[in-house]
C-alpha cells in the first residue's frame, strides 16, 4: 500500500505543480515580455549545467538507501549519507566559486546586449548560490525517497511549489522582474530540503549524519554506480535543457521563447509520466537486493502497461489539441510553438515506453549500458539539432530530439531491458503495448465528435473536452486492457482504501 501511496502522491504533487506553472506562465510572460522570458529560459538552461556537479551521487544515494532499507542495515545507510554530506559540502563550495568566476564570460558567449548582460550576471549568481547550497541539503530528500517515504517528500515539495507561486506573483507585482523570479526559484530550491531535514531524523530509524561516520572510504562503493548516473544526468541535461542554448547560438531570443514554451509543456508531460516509474525505482532496487526477479519482471510488463494507460491519453489528447491549447493559453504570437510541441510529443512516446525499462537496467547492474546509451542519444540529439536547425530553422531542434530517441531509446534500451528481464519482444508488445491501443479509437472519435458539437473557444471548454475523452479512454482500457483478475484486484484496493479513509475521518 505504501508504494501505491507514493505513486498517488507523486501524481498529485506533479499535477498541482503543472497547474501552477500553467496559470503562472502567461502572467510571467506578460510581466517580462517575450525577449526577457527567452533570456530567463536561457539562464535556466545555463544554470542547469552547474547541476551536473552532483556527479550522479544523488541517484546513487537513493539506490544505496533503498538497498540498506531492504537489508535493514541502518549503519551502512548512515555511513554512506554522512560521507556524501561531507563531499557535497565541498562540491557546493566549488560550484559557487565556478559560478561567480564563469558567469561574466558565459554572458559574452550569447551576444547579449549591455542591458541583458547586466541582468544575466546577478541572476546567475543568485541561482548559483541556491544550487551550491542544494548539493548537501539534497541528501535528506534522497534518504526519505530511498526509504520509501516518497509521499513525505512530495508533501514538502508541494508546499514549496505553492509558496513559490505566491512569492513570484508578489515580487513581479512589486516590479522586481527577472531578479524576482530568480529569488523565488532559489528560495524554493533551498526551502524544500530544509523542510525535509527534521522529517528525515523523525521518520527514519537511527538516522544520523554524525561527523564520525564521514569517510571517503565509504564513498568508493558508490562510485561504480554514480559515474554512470553522472553520464545519464549529462544525457538528460542535453535532452531537456540544452536546446535553448543551441538555439540562441543561431536564432534570436524570441525563438528561444517559442521553443521554451513547447519544450516546457513536453518536459512536464514527460515528468508527469515519470512520476509512476520514479515511485517504483526504489522498489526495483529493494527487489534486486532480495533477488526477486519475478517481481522485477512484473514491473517490466504490468508496471509499464499501467504506465501507458496513464500516459497515452495525455500525450494523444495534447497532440490533438496542441494548436488550440497554445492559442488559448498564450495567444497568437506563440502559435509556432504548437508545431514544435507536436514533434516533441512524438518523441515522448518511445521515451515513456522505456521509463520502467531504464529503471530496471539502472537498478539491477546494467547501469553502464544504460548510461552509455543515454549519452549516445544525447550526443545524437545535440549533433542532429545543430545540423537540422541550419536546414529547418526552429523545428530542426525538435526533429533532432525525435530522431535521437527513435534511434537509441526505442532500438537499444528497450530491447536490452526485455532480454535482461526475460521478456520476449512479442510478449512485451502483446501484453504491454497492444492493450493501450484499442482505447485510443473511441477517445479520438469522441474528441472529433465534440469538436463538431462545440467550438473550442476557451481553456475551460478545452479542459472539459480533454476530461471527457480521457475518462472515456480509461473506462475502455479498464475493460479491454486489464484481465478480470486485475479488475477485481484494483477495485478491491480502491474500496479498501476508501473504507480506511472514512474510518479515519469518523
Amino acid at each position: 500500500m505504501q508504494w501505491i501511496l507514493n505513486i498517488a502522491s507523486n501524481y498529485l504533487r506533479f499535477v498541482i505543480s503543472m497547474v501552477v506553472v500553467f496559470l503562472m506562465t502567461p502572467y510571467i510572460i506578460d510581466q517580462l515580455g517575450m525577449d526577457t522570458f527567452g533570456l530567463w529560459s536561457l539562464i535556466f538552461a545555463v544554470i542547469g549545467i552547474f547541476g551536473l556537479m552532483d556527479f550522479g551521487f544523488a541517484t546513487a544515494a537513493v539506490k544505496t538507501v533503498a538497498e540498506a532499507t531492504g537489508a535493514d542495515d541502518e549503519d551502512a545507510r548512515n555511513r554512506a549519507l554522512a560521507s556524501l554530506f561531507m563531499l557535497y559540502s565541498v562540491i557546493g563550495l566549488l560550484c559557487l566559486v565556478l559560478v561567480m568566476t564563469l558567469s561574466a564570460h558565459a554572458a559574452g558567449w550569447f551576444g547579449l546586449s549591455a542591458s541583458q548582460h547586466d541582468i544575466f550576471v546577478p541572476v546567475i549568481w543568485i541561482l548559483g548560490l541556491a544550487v551550491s547550497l542544494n548539493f548537501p541539503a539534497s541528501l535528506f530528500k534522497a534518504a526519505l525517497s530511498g526509504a520509501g517515504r516518497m509521499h513525505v517528500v512530495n508533501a514538502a515539495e508541494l508546499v514549496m511549489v505553492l509558496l513559490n507561486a505566491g512569492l513570484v506573483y508578489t515580487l513581479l507585482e512589486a516590479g522586481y522582474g527577472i531578479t524576482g523570479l530568480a529569488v523565488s526559484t532559489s528560495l524554493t530550491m533551498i526551502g524544500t530540503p530544509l523542510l525535509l531535514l527534521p522529517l528525515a531524523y523523525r521518520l527514519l530509524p537511527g538516522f544520523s549524519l554524525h561527523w564520525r561516520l564521514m569517510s571517503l572510504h565509504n564513498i568508493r562503493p558508490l562510485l561504480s554506480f554514480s559515474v554512470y548516473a553522472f553520464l545519464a544526468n549529462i544525457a538528460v541535461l542535453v535532452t531537456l535543457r540544452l536546446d535553448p542554448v543551441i538555439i540562441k547560438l543561431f536564432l534570436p531570443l524570441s525563438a528561444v521563447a517559442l521553443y521554451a514554451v513547447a519544450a516546457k509543456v513536453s518536459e512536464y508531460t514527460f515528468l508527469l509520466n515519470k512520476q509512476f516509474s520514479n515511485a517504483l525505482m526504489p522498489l526495483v532496487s529493494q527487489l534486486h537486493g532480495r533477488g526477486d526477479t519475478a517481481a522485477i519482471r512484473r514491473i517490466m510488463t504490468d508496471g509499464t502497461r499501467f504506465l501507458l494507460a496513464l500516459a497515452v491519453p495525455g500525450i494523444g489528447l495534447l497532440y490533438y489539441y496542441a494548436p488550440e491549447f497554445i492559442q488559448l493559453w498564450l495567444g497568437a504570437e506563440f502559435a509556432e510553438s504548437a508545431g514544435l510541441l507536436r514533434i516533441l510529443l512524438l518523441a515522448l512516446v518511445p521515451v515513456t515506453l522505456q521509463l520502467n525499462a531504464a529503471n530496471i537496467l539502472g537498478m539491477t547492474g546494467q547501469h553502464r549500458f544504460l548510461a552509455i546509451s543515454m549519452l549516445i542519444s544525447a550526443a545524437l540529439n545535440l549533433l542532429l539539432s545543430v545540423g537540422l536547425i541550419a536546414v529547418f530553422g526552429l523545428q530542426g531542434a525538435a526533429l533532432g530530439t525525435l530522431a535521437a530517441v527513435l534511434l537509441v531509446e526505442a532500438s537499444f534500451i528497450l530491447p536490452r531491458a526485455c532480454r535482461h528481464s526475460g521478456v520476449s519482444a512479442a510478449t512485451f508488445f502483446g501484453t504491454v503495448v497492444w492493450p493501450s491501443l484499442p482505447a485510443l479509437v473511441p477517445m479520438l472519435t469522441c474528441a472529433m465528435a465534440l469538436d463538431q458539437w462545440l467550438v473550442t473557444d476557451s481553456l475551460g471548454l478545452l479542459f472539459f473536452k480533454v476530461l471527457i475523452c480521457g475518462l472515456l479512454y480509461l473506462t475502455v482500457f479498464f475493460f479491454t486492457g486489464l484481465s478480470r483478475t486485475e479488475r477485481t484486484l484494483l477495485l478491491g484496493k480502491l474500496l479498501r482504501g476508501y473504507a480506511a479513509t472514512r474510518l479515519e475521518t469518523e
Side-chain angles (χ1 to χ4, degrees):
M1 193 64 187
Q2 180 173 304
W3 297 106
I4 295 176
L5 178 61
N6 285 341
I7 292 171
S9 65
N10 268 11
Y11 275 99
L12 177 63
R13 184 262 307 167
F14 198 80
V15 167
I16 293 176
S17 299
M18 282 204 316
V19 171
V20 170
V21 170
F22 172 79
L23 294 174
M24 294 299 295
T25 299
Y27 172 75
I28 292 171
I29 293 174
D30 183 61
Q31 291 290 314
L32 298 182
M34 192 168 183
D35 280 352
T36 306
F37 179 74
L39 179 62
W40 170 249
S41 302
L42 178 64
I43 290 171
F44 214 73
V46 172
I47 204 65
I49 297 173
F50 291 100
L52 288 176
M53 294 181 68
D54 165 78
F55 297 115
F57 282 117
T59 307
V62 173
K63 182 176 185 293
T64 299
V65 172
E67 290 177 345
T69 301
D72 197 23
D73 191 345
E74 295 175 7
D75 184 59
R77 176 199 66 195
N78 290 342
R79 282 188 283 106
L81 291 177
S83 302
L84 278 176
F85 188 84
M86 173 186 66
L87 179 63
Y88 266 160
S89 298
V90 176
I91 290 174
L93 182 60
L94 178 61
C95 175
L96 186 59
V97 171
L98 287 175
V99 166
M100 293 186 172
T101 303
L102 299 176
S103 55
H105 299 287
W109 299 336
F110 303 109
L112 301 177
S113 67
S115 61
Q116 291 167 343
H117 180 280
D118 291 341
I119 295 172
F120 185 95
V121 174
V123 169
I124 284 284
W125 282 25
I126 293 170
L127 293 172
L129 176 61
V131 170
S132 301
L133 293 173
N134 197 55
F135 281 122
S138 66
L139 285 177
F140 301 107
K141 175 181 177 179
L144 288 164
S145 297
R149 300 278 189 166
M150 203 169 289
H151 57 285
V152 176
V153 174
N154 288 328
E157 291 184 340
L158 182 55
V159 169
M160 294 310 302
V161 164
L162 297 176
L163 287 175
N164 178 60
L167 189 56
V168 167
Y169 179 81
T170 302
L171 292 175
L172 290 182
E173 283 293 311
Y176 288 99
I178 196 171
T179 304
L181 275 181
V183 169
S184 61
T185 301
S186 298
L187 290 176
T188 303
M189 283 187 196
I190 301 167
T192 302
L194 289 179
L195 284 178
L196 295 175
L197 189 157
L199 294 174
Y201 279 95
R202 180 178 179 181
L203 298 175
L204 302 182
F207 181 79
S208 174
L209 295 179
H210 197 278
W211 64 269
R212 290 179 180 174
L213 299 172
M214 298 177 181
S215 171
L216 290 177
H217 178 75
N218 296 329
I219 296 173
R220 291 174 186 169
L222 304 177
L223 285 172
S224 61
F225 183 85
S226 67
V227 167
Y228 296 101
F230 173 59
L231 296 178
N233 288 343
I234 294 176
V236 171
L237 174 74
V238 172
T239 302
L240 295 181
R241 302 284 190 209
L242 216 55
D243 277 341
V245 176
I246 301 301
I247 291 168
K248 182 60 186 75
L249 296 176
F250 297 91
L251 300 170
L253 280 173
S254 57
V256 175
L258 288 170
Y259 191 89
V261 166
K264 180 59 67 176
V265 176
S266 173
E267 179 185 345
Y268 267 78
T269 306
F270 163 72
L271 292 175
L272 176 64
N273 297 334
K274 201 170 186 292
Q275 301 312 303
F276 189 96
S277 57
N278 280 351
L280 293 178
M281 183 173 66
L283 177 60
V284 173
S285 187
Q286 290 183 20
L287 293 172
H288 179 61
R290 291 199 290 263
D292 194 344
T293 57
I296 293 175
R297 189 178 302 114
R298 288 196 298 272
I299 290 176
M300 180 68 185
T301 53
D302 297 340
T304 304
R305 178 158 49 94
F306 281 105
L307 170 59
L308 288 180
L310 298 172
V312 167
I315 294 174
L317 289 169
L318 188 53
Y319 183 95
Y320 182 84
Y321 284 115
E324 292 91 341
F325 171 64
I326 295 295
Q327 169 74 27
L328 293 169
W329 183 34
L330 298 174
E333 65 177 336
F334 282 90
E336 191 177 347
S337 297
L340 300 171
L341 176 58
R342 280 182 161 173
I343 297 172
L344 293 174
L345 288 172
L346 289 176
L348 275 188
V349 176
V351 170
T352 302
L353 192 60
Q354 58 84 50
L355 283 174
N356 281 338
N359 272 347
I360 289 172
L361 290 175
M363 295 294 156
T364 59
Q366 298 289 307
H367 47 276
R368 178 183 300 182
F369 169 83
L370 177 64
I372 292 174
S373 298
M374 291 177 67
L375 201 59
I376 291 172
S377 177
L380 276 175
N381 184 1
L382 188 62
L383 293 173
L384 289 171
S385 294
V386 170
L388 292 174
I389 286 174
V391 179
F392 298 104
L394 196 52
Q395 286 194 341
L399 290 170
T401 300
L402 174 60
V405 299
L406 288 174
L407 287 171
V408 179
E409 271 87 342
S411 303
F412 292 96
I413 295 177
L414 189 59
R416 176 66 169 261
C418 284
R419 291 195 299 271
H420 183 66
S421 304
V423 179
S424 69
T427 299
F428 187 82
F429 179 82
T431 62
V432 177
V433 179
W434 173 253
S436 68
L437 300 180
L440 278 173
V441 176
M443 182 188 80
L444 295 176
T445 302
C446 178
M448 289 184 284
L450 287 174
D451 282 348
Q452 294 297 317
W453 179 42
L454 294 170
V455 177
T456 311
D457 56 2
S458 70
L459 282 171
L461 185 56
L462 176 60
F463 288 143
F464 171 75
K465 289 182 176 182
V466 169
L467 179 63
I468 294 298
C469 297
L471 288 175
L472 178 61
Y473 177 94
L474 292 175
T475 301
V476 175
F477 178 85
F478 182 79
F479 291 101
T480 63
L482 301 180
S483 67
R484 179 179 297 178
T485 302
E486 288 172 330
R487 290 196 295 270
T488 303
L489 181 63
L490 181 59
L491 285 175
K493 285 184 176 294
L494 291 174
L495 290 173
R496 285 195 296 273
Y498 174 72
T501 303
R502 287 201 62 182
L503 285 174
E504 289 177 1
T505 57
E506 290 177 356

